[in-house]
Amino acid sequence: MISALKGTVGVIQSINTTHYTATVQLPEYNNQITEGLQILSPITFGNKITSIPKVNTPVFCIFLEDDTERGFIIGSYFSDKNVRSEER
């Protein structure tokens, strides 16, 4: 049976460049901070592109069911709310 996926927005708290993971604070889940979630890559196998989001970057995550420890960081997103004031 395939598990249901649930998504939420979070903010990167720390990164691990060795394991390509990051911890994420989840406002929708009482600001819980996850364990290291795997950061998904846009290209796989031999042509990997490494793009690790920086701390404080908003990201979209998916989780298997309601288990916030079994999830992945899909990627970051752009909006006027997450542009630093010096970039405007």
Side-chain angles (χ1 to χ4, degrees):
M1 180 172 169
I2 297 174
S3 298
L5 293 177
K6 295 189 177 193
T8 190
V9 171
V11 178
I12 297 290
Q13 297 298 299
S14 67
I15 56 174
N16 180 324
T17 56
T18 302
H19 294 109
Y20 209 65
T21 60
T23 61
V24 179
Q25 183 178 19
L26 304 173
E28 254 185 72
Y29 289 82
N30 297 318
N31 288 318
Q32 174 184 351
I33 296 177
T34 67
E35 295 292 324
L37 299 176
Q38 196 72 45
I39 302 166
L40 296 185
S41 173
I43 300 175
T44 59
F45 196 56
N47 295 322
K48 289 188 173 142
I49 296 173
T50 57
S51 182
I52 297 176
K54 295 180 180 177
V55 171
N56 293 323
T57 300
V59 292
F60 184 73
C61 305
I62 58 168
F63 299 95
L64 302 175
E65 308 270 335
D66 276 331
D67 187 352
T68 58
E69 302 311 317
R70 291 179 44 207
F72 301 90
I73 298 168
I74 298 295
S76 61
Y77 60 93
F78 176 81
S79 75
D80 287 339
K81 292 180 181 180
N82 65 3
V83 174
R84 296 188 323 228
S85 59
E86 63 266 16
E87 292 177 348
R88 290 184 189 193

